[in-house]
Amino acid sequence: MSNERKLKGKIKYLIIVPILLAFVLMGICIYVFGPYAKQTIIALIALSVYIIIVIVAYIRLMPVINSSMVEYALEQGKIQNELLREMAVPYVILDTDGRVLWANSKFYDTIGVMDKKHIKKPIDAYFPQLTPSVYENNERVEMDIEYGEKIFNAYIRRMDLTNVFLDDKEEHKNDEVVIAVYFFDITEQRRLEKENEEQKLVAGLVYIDNYDEVMDSLEDVKHSILTALVDRKINMYLSNADAIVRHIENDKYFCVFRQKYMQMLRDDKFALLDEVKSINVGNEIAMTLSMGLGLGSDNFIEDYEYAKVAIGLALGRGGDQVAVKAGDQVTYYGGKSAGTEKTTRVKARVKAQAFEELLVGKEKVIIMAHKRPDSDAFGSAVGVYRLVSALGKKAYIVLNEVTDAIKPLVATFNNSNYSDMLINSEQAMAMVDPQTMLVVTDVNRPSMTECEELINLVSTVVVFDHHRQTSDAISKATLSYIEPFASSACEMIAEMYEYMSVTPKLRQQEADAMYSGILIDTDNFLVKTGVRTFEAASFLRKSGADVTRVRKMFRSSMLEMKERAQGISNAEIYMNSFALSYVVPDPESADTPTVPVAKVANELLNVDNIKASFVVTEADNGILYISARSIGDINVQVILERWGGGGHANVAGAQLEGKKKEEFFDELKAVLKEMYESGEL
């Protein structure tokens, strides 16, 4: 019903009500004085005259009232329309397809179109974010939109005209849905917010990774020269960010600068890393450094804590890189080199003594490695088992699946001496109590362990791993010994034996298991092999490990040889530097060929000009297993981190669910090309 009809209906009450009241008054007079009384007759005459006057007045004045009300309504409509048109906020009404039905002058000014000109283009031609999908199913939407140099907060309201014409059957048939959009200019607000954000401080820690090793390789008279050059490089680079830098120790610096300079440092990919490596005053080893930056908090002390966490992550990943921690988000830069092996065993001694102290108050220890364990995972678990047993504590190893990679090793433990050594996840969780310690070996990511639930059940958690640390590493570890420079976890455990109060006596099969872990992870001492690797192997050899026996255990089957040959024949060379291949599992084999895949990746590095290899296989459970190897400066761990993988600079892997090898190779090629063009490779 229109406003005019409603108004006329209400005006009718002006005559109906007085007439009804007059009749009521007549009835009262008749009732009080009687029908023929003088007073009744006078009252009836007076009321009749009153009724006639009211009717005449209504008939005479109604056209005037209607005309006045219509003029008033029209005047009000013009005022409202003019107010909307001249409103300081851009305002537009759209149909459901995004076409402009009506807009005010401010909207025309904003988009640079002549006022009152018919706009033929849909709204998303001017504001690409305002597509029909944004408002087709939402009553109210609020979003920020950039247009030219301005930023608007768009308030979008979907209006159903059924609510306007609710009582009118005829008009209800033709109602429509319209979209009203208000644009509030928040450019200045966002500018001030950005300016405020840029003025916040960033806390930074700069550590020289291999200070002692470099100085030991350099003549004493050149120590001060090298230190001065490094100090100058760091100060000059950070002065570009208007930073305050303080040299707090021989190999440590502290800096602070405003957040506005972070983008500049990101854009040049923290060139300081390469500048320091280029310094050479006769040092045989290139000096590398790591940086940890903390930002994103309103509290500078909290930013400093972020910086300490970040530098720990950078060092845990092998150094020669920058870790930026902004709240819960961690970003890494650099990390191209494989790092320098630490010749000192101070860290091994400190961690061994700390581990022994933690054992004092515990009754039993549960040991677990990663899912689908390899020789290093099982060997290091056996090494911890013997170490704990030598200290008089009960130990168990969680093993849910005996893969082909460790089947020969596990078979040697099938005797009465190890009857209760191996347990599954359910048994492990059932035996947890306050006197239980959990030791995680050869992995530092909770999701990749044999039983992730154990980490939350046990109060004391110890981690021994040689893989580069990631941002989702086990956070509640009481003791964490992560040494990315080590060849294997077995090497790390073997080193710790020397510093225990009771020297564990390894049995023959235990020494074989640990030796095989080093052997497999170094590809027969060809990859990531340092002085300490040979020292650990020598210790295990003296403890009873037999090279021939271990070699016999890991001879390849004919099926594996065929799978390796297949992987080599399937290889594709990309960008003249990368070998990409795959292995199709034999349908008659129950196991996924992860071992042949790793061996194919190693063998492809023997091809001339190949810097890195990536080999995959698809398991029946829908998981895509990826093995990556590199030689030289290519860091395959950084590459596979794009898919949630990890490992070392030269040896890395990943597991992907629900992805086909063709999809992965397409994505990998795009990443390799992007990293090459940006100078990261």
Side-chain angles (χ1 to χ4, degrees):
M1 184 181 290
S2 67
N3 291 334
E4 186 179 353
R5 293 179 192 173
K6 290 180 180 179
L7 183 61
K8 288 181 178 179
K10 291 179 180 179
I11 291 176
K12 288 179 182 178
Y13 289 114
L14 292 176
I15 184 171
I16 294 173
V17 172
I19 292 174
L20 288 175
L21 290 175
F23 281 113
V24 170
L25 188 58
M26 284 182 186
I28 292 172
C29 291
I30 293 171
Y31 177 77
V32 174
F33 301 109
Y36 304 108
K38 183 178 179 181
Q39 295 91 328
T40 301
I41 295 170
I42 295 171
L44 289 174
I45 294 170
L47 289 172
S48 298
V49 172
Y50 171 76
I51 291 171
I52 293 169
I53 292 171
V54 169
I55 293 172
V56 171
Y58 176 78
I59 294 171
R60 295 286 299 272
L61 294 176
M62 193 60 195
V64 178
I65 293 173
N66 286 340
S67 177
S68 299
M69 293 303 294
V70 168
E71 288 180 10
Y72 176 76
L74 290 173
E75 188 65 27
Q76 286 293 102
K78 290 179 181 179
I79 293 171
Q80 291 175 9
N81 187 55
E82 192 63 25
L83 288 173
L84 279 174
R85 183 169 294 280
E86 298 302 324
M87 187 167 59
V89 176
Y91 177 72
V92 64
I93 297 176
L94 314 171
D95 64 13
T96 52
D97 294 325
R99 291 188 296 269
V100 177
L101 300 176
W102 183 90
N104 68 352
S105 301
K106 191 67 177 177
F107 179 81
Y108 282 100
D109 291 342
T110 301
I111 64 174
V113 175
M114 190 180 297
D115 194 5
K116 297 183 181 179
K117 182 180 178 181
H118 179 60
I119 301 174
K120 296 180 180 180
K121 295 180 181 179
I123 190 71
D124 55 11
Y126 301 96
F127 302 94
Q129 298 104 313
L130 280 179
T131 59
S133 60
V134 172
Y135 46 76
E136 62 183 357
N137 295 317
N138 299 304
E139 287 293 321
R140 286 179 172 82
V141 181
E142 194 170 345
M143 60 190 296
D144 287 355
I145 295 175
E146 291 187 18
Y147 186 78
E149 297 181 355
K150 292 189 175 182
I151 303 173
F152 294 96
N153 179 251
Y155 179 76
I156 307 163
R157 184 180 177 188
R158 182 185 178 90
M159 296 191 299
D160 189 346
L161 298 185
T162 304
N163 297 327
V164 179
F165 304 119
L166 193 60
D167 300 324
D168 194 314
K169 302 299 181 184
E170 294 301 319
E171 289 182 283
H172 179 70
K173 294 176 183 177
N174 299 318
D175 65 11
E176 293 182 357
V177 173
V178 296
I179 312 299
V181 187
Y182 299 85
F183 295 88
F184 298 97
D185 190 345
I186 57 171
T187 308
E188 185 65 14
Q189 177 185 335
R190 289 289 184 266
R191 186 190 67 78
L192 293 173
E193 288 175 357
K194 182 181 178 182
E195 186 177 313
N196 180 59
E197 194 69 20
E198 289 177 343
Q199 294 304 314
K200 291 181 179 179
L201 294 178
V202 177
L205 291 168
V206 182
Y207 288 6
I208 299 174
D209 301 325
N210 52 354
Y211 181 85
D212 293 331
E213 286 75 17
V214 173
M215 291 303 180
D216 288 343
S217 70
L218 192 64
E219 299 173 22
D220 291 347
V221 293
K222 294 183 179 179
H223 286 189
S224 58
I225 299 173
L226 180 60
T227 302
L229 287 173
V230 172
D231 194 85
R232 184 169 180 270
K233 286 280 187 186
I234 292 172
N235 279 279
M236 285 187 65
Y237 180 81
L238 291 175
S239 67
N240 295 325
D242 197 24
I244 298 173
V245 185
R246 289 292 178 269
H247 196 170
I248 53 179
E249 290 183 36
N250 286 339
D251 58 346
K252 295 180 176 64
Y253 295 80
F254 172 75
C255 63
V256 59
F257 56 91
R258 282 175 290 180
Q259 203 164 303
K260 65 183 286 187
Y261 295 104
M262 272 302 299
Q263 192 56 49
M264 179 191 74
L265 299 179
R266 286 190 175 108
D267 290 342
D268 74 359
K269 300 186 185 300
F270 294 89
L272 177 63
L273 300 178
D274 294 326
E275 289 178 15
V276 170
K277 275 192 287 188
S278 67
I279 299 174
N280 192 322
V281 293
N283 46 300
E284 298 174 1
I285 304 171
M287 183 169 279
T288 65
L289 57 79
S290 297
M291 292 180 66
L293 302 178
L295 63 147
S297 171
D298 294 328
N299 185 336
F300 184 69
I301 295 176
E302 194 169 344
D303 284 338
Y304 178 64
E305 293 300 321
Y306 287 165
K308 290 199 291 186
V309 173
I311 194 66
L313 290 170
L315 294 173
R317 289 164 54 86
D320 186 29
Q321 59 194 281
V322 178
V324 180
K325 182 171 173 59
D328 294 331
Q329 183 180 2
V330 181
T331 310
Y332 300 100
Y333 301 87
K336 295 180 184 179
S337 67
T340 307
E341 180 194 12
K342 301 289 185 180
T343 56
T344 174
R345 292 188 178 186
V346 173
K347 192 173 182 180
R349 175 179 57 80
V350 171
K351 299 297 183 180
Q353 292 173 352
F355 178 60
E356 189 169 353
E357 290 174 5
L358 286 175
L359 273 174
V360 172
K362 303 300 178 183
E363 293 179 356
K364 58 177 173 286
V365 177
I366 297 174
I367 308 157
M368 70 174 177
H370 53 76
K371 297 173 184 175
R372 296 188 60 81
D374 55 15
S375 299
D376 189 34
F378 183 71
S380 58
V382 168
V384 176
Y385 171 86
R386 175 49 53 205
L387 193 153
V388 170
S389 299
L391 293 171
K393 307 295 180 179
K394 193 65 177 172
Y396 306 90
I397 297 175
V398 180
L399 184 63
N400 295 318
E401 180 183 5
V402 179
T403 61
D404 281 346
I406 62 170
K407 192 175 291 182
L409 289 175
V410 175
T412 64
F413 289 87
N414 289 332
N415 57 62
S416 58
N417 293 327
Y418 303 100
S419 58
D420 60 349
M421 180 180 78
L422 302 178
I423 59 175
N424 58 35
S425 296
E426 290 74 18
Q427 292 172 315
M429 288 190 288
M431 64 172 58
V432 171
D433 59 34
Q435 301 305 312
T436 302
M437 176 191 287
L438 175 66
V439 177
V440 179
T441 66
D442 200 37
V443 64
N444 61 64
R445 298 174 67 178
S447 60
M448 296 183 68
T449 58
E450 283 276 23
C451 182
E452 186 177 353
E453 294 82 359
L454 272 176
I455 298 172
N456 297 319
L457 288 175
V458 180
S459 58
T460 304
V461 179
V462 177
V463 179
F464 297 130
D465 189 26
H466 68 118
H467 296 101
R468 287 155 69 105
Q469 194 171 359
T470 60
S471 53
D472 61 341
I474 296 171
S475 57
K476 60 167 291 185
T478 309
L479 174 65
S480 182
Y481 182 19
I482 297 175
E483 187 59 270
F485 307 106
S487 69
S488 57
C490 287
E491 176 190 317
M492 296 169 59
I493 302 302
E495 283 185 344
M496 290 173 59
Y497 275 42
E498 186 178 340
Y499 304 106
M500 307 303 290
S501 59
V502 177
T503 304
K505 177 65 176 174
L506 282 167
R507 293 174 178 168
Q508 190 180 78
Q509 58 266 55
E510 294 168 350
D512 284 349
M514 294 182 69
Y515 185 84
S516 68
I518 297 176
L519 196 69
I520 298 300
D521 265 28
T522 59
D523 190 21
N524 294 310
F525 298 101
L526 293 176
V527 180
K528 271 191 74 68
T529 307
V531 174
R532 290 167 63 176
T533 308
F534 287 110
E535 289 175 350
S538 176
F539 166 77
L540 295 172
R541 182 71 182 86
K542 292 175 184 176
S543 300
D546 188 288
V547 179
T548 304
R549 188 168 53 241
V550 171
R551 184 178 177 184
K552 285 181 179 179
M553 280 193 288
F554 288 95
R555 286 186 295 182
S556 302
S557 65
M558 182 55 69
L559 175 61
E560 183 182 320
M561 292 297 290
K562 289 180 179 179
E563 287 173 332
R564 287 166 62 181
Q566 177 206 140
I568 294 172
S569 65
N570 290 335
E572 168 196 355
I573 307 301
Y574 181 66
M575 294 174 64
N576 297 319
S577 301
F578 306 101
L580 281 55
S581 186
Y582 61 92
V583 175
V584 179
D586 191 301
E588 297 180 3
S589 176
D591 292 313
T592 304
T594 51
V595 173
V597 163
K599 291 182 178 179
V600 171
N602 282 326
E603 291 181 20
L604 287 174
L605 291 180
N606 294 323
V607 178
D608 192 26
N609 295 325
I610 294 301
K611 296 179 180 178
S613 61
F614 301 86
V615 186
V616 306
T617 187
E618 295 178 355
D620 292 336
N621 57 5
I623 296 178
L624 188 71
Y625 292 94
I626 306 161
S627 282
R629 301 291 186 270
S630 74
I631 189 168
D633 294 331
I634 301 296
N635 189 332
V636 289
Q637 190 245 357
V638 171
I639 296 171
L640 287 192
E641 275 187 341
R642 302 282 186 106
W643 292 273
H648 301 289
N650 302 121
V651 180
Q655 298 178 13
L656 306 179
E657 291 187 23
K659 191 180 289 292
K660 295 296 182 182
K661 64 178 184 296
E662 293 82 7
E663 296 177 68
F664 170 72
F665 282 136
D666 288 342
E667 294 175 8
L668 176 63
K669 288 176 181 178
V671 167
L672 292 175
K673 186 176 181 181
E674 173 200 327
M675 295 180 74
Y676 178 78
E677 291 175 349
S678 64
E680 295 181 56
L681 292 180

